[in-house]
Amino acid sequence: MRWKIVGLMFVVSAVSYLDRNNLSIAASAIKKAYALSDVQLGMVFSAFALGYGLSQPFAGWVADRFGPYLTISVAIVWWGIFTAMTPLVPQGIAYALPLLIVVRLALGVGEAAIFPASNRLISSWIPSSERGLANGLVFAGVGIGGGIAPPLVTWIMISYGWEWAFYVSALLGLVAGAIWLLFVRDNPRDHKAVSQSELAYIEAGMPSSSQGGAPPIPWRRVIRDRQVMTLTLSYFCFGYVAYIFFSWFFVYLSTVRGLDLKSSAIYSTLPFLAMTVFSTLGGMLSDRLARARGERVGRCFLAAAAMVLASVFVAAATQVEDARFASLILAGGAGSLYVAQSAYWTLTANIGGKSSGIVSGVMNMGAQIGGVITASSTALIAQSFGWTASFLAASAVAFIGGLIWLLVDPHHSLSDNR
């Protein structure tokens, strides 16, 4: 049953990324409808990342306080409403841009709960030895959602208009929410489908930080913790690079590399398919290495190597003339980046235990601040120095994020007195 719960979290993750990526796919139509420049479009992209990022610690606290079941249920309804509201912003009025920014900011607030709540769910359902794979599968949903978005949104735009891309995305979210309400519970002890043998297996594999009636960890202690801040800084670098793909990749292929709309839709799926495959493989490899060689090798060294390799791929893509070949190389960068994904969330689940929601929320805020910066800075750097400079900047950030992993202590726990 624990893997069915992870599978449902995978579905929610995929739908959430479909809902946030539809704007980047419909960017050309929205720019025309609202007469936006690239810099103004970047402001709309940044609004989502800002609302999403600044809400992360609070969303984690909510998940710890009220449980991931209720938290995600409310979040799905919230983000469905604001996804549907995006095309309802009137065109041709003086305040269209501020309204778009407010709607996307609110959408970001709604989606902020997904991954802190997911990590809280994993800390209750999944033994430590399986958390790399569990997190890898959850974040494979990011790749699936991001990969489905280009062809699905493009087809809807061509067939029915760009507005319907948002309405359909909202409807899919509500369907996922209904399934969630029916089948998920906060703890395995509360789920009737969990057998006694599986319950015993889950509880035997829990770290001490996830057991007992330990009180919630205070905010101040989380924020002041050196290991939490080290992970947050590295995840800032991760988010900076990831948001290149979530915000600008489709625009880059269609307007900079010169691919037509349908070709852009096809080739822009490649990074997200790579994320799907390598997030899962990275989680499996992380668990296996952690069991065989220890947590430092399985979590820290693997993540460091993955991010450095991502840096190499992103830089190499700027030197390739052919747009299709460049897409393949950038897909390698996205896949390498997502090999590191499960390590971040596995360690925050282990560090925080029953307070893993707030710990992972603080860490994820770092990634979203990176996203805020890259959503706007990518266009600004490209405007001043060219698109090659934008991707080289992302390459440098990925390299730094990999080096920071070497400073992480994988055995650290906030439940200890150290």
Side-chain angles (χ1 to χ4, degrees), residues 31-260:
K31 279 178 61 180
K32 182 178 180 180
Y34 293 99
L36 303 178
S37 67
D38 277 348
V39 173
Q40 289 174 322
L41 183 63
M43 293 168 62
V44 179
F45 287 150
S46 292
F48 172 88
L50 184 64
Y52 187 81
L54 295 181
S55 301
Q56 288 292 314
F58 177 73
W61 176 85
V62 170
D64 289 336
R65 175 67 178 81
F66 298 102
Y69 172 76
L70 179 60
T71 302
I72 290 181
S73 300
V74 173
I76 288 174
V77 175
W78 177 294
W79 94 54
I81 290 171
F82 283 98
T83 296
M85 284 182 65
T86 303
L88 296 178
V89 173
Q91 301 174 23
I93 64 171
Y95 299 102
L97 176 60
L99 285 174
L100 282 171
I101 288 172
V102 169
V103 169
R104 297 300 290 187
L105 183 79
L107 176 64
V109 172
E111 289 207 9
I114 299 304
F115 295 114
S118 166
N119 212 31
R120 183 65 185 85
L121 198 69
I122 284 174
S123 73
S124 297
W125 274 88
I126 305 297
S128 295
S129 62
E130 297 176 344
R131 287 180 179 177
L133 175 57
N135 279 302
L137 288 169
V138 169
F139 283 94
V142 172
I144 288 292
I148 289 173
L152 177 61
V153 172
T154 300
W155 176 76
I156 295 172
M157 286 170 56
I158 292 172
S159 302
Y160 303 103
W162 68 269
E163 295 91 346
W164 276 97
F166 292 85
Y167 299 143
V168 171
S169 297
L171 180 61
L172 289 173
L174 294 177
V175 171
I179 297 172
W180 178 269
L181 284 169
L182 289 173
F183 293 105
V184 176
R185 298 294 180 268
D186 284 332
N187 298 290
R189 281 190 173 274
D190 299 330
H191 205 298
K192 294 180 180 179
V194 177
S195 66
Q196 287 300 313
S197 60
E198 183 177 18
L199 180 62
Y201 175 80
I202 292 171
E203 292 182 346
M206 289 291 170
S208 58
S209 60
S210 296
Q211 297 175 345
I217 297 169
W219 286 74
R220 181 178 298 179
R221 188 174 174 197
V222 173
I223 294 171
R224 289 183 174 181
D225 187 83
R226 185 171 63 182
Q227 289 300 314
V228 173
M229 289 300 102
T230 301
L231 278 171
T232 300
L233 182 58
S234 181
Y235 210 44
F236 166 90
C237 299
F238 182 103
Y240 185 97
V241 182
Y243 265 88
I244 287 275
F245 297 101
F246 297 134
S247 298
W248 288 108
F249 190 62
F250 187 89
V251 175
Y252 174 70
L253 291 182
S254 60
T255 63
V256 180
R257 288 290 191 165
L259 295 181
D260 60 41

Side-chain angles (χ1 to χ4, degrees), residues 318-332:
T318 65
Q319 307 305 308
V320 175
E321 293 293 332
D322 183 75
R324 292 162 179 82
F325 188 37
S327 298
L328 287 171
I329 296 175
L330 285 169

Side-chain angles (χ1 to χ4, degrees), residues 386-407:
W387 279 91
T388 294
S390 294
F391 279 87
L392 288 176
S395 172
V397 171
F399 186 82
I400 294 169
L403 294 183
I404 293 172
W405 261 109
L406 302 179
L407 304 176

Side-chain angles (χ1 to χ4, degrees), residues 258-307:
L259 295 181
D260 60 41
L261 190 61
K262 290 185 177 180
S263 295
S264 297
I266 293 170
Y267 282 94
S268 62
T269 64
L270 296 178
F272 302 106
L273 293 176
M275 291 176 187
T276 301
V277 173
F278 286 97
S279 178
T280 304
L281 292 178
M284 294 173 63
L285 181 59
S286 181
D287 282 343
R288 182 168 294 184
L289 285 174
R291 288 193 293 267
R293 304 294 298 274
E295 293 283 316
R296 180 165 294 280
V297 173
R299 312 300 183 196
C300 303
F301 289 178
L302 176 64
M307 292 192 69

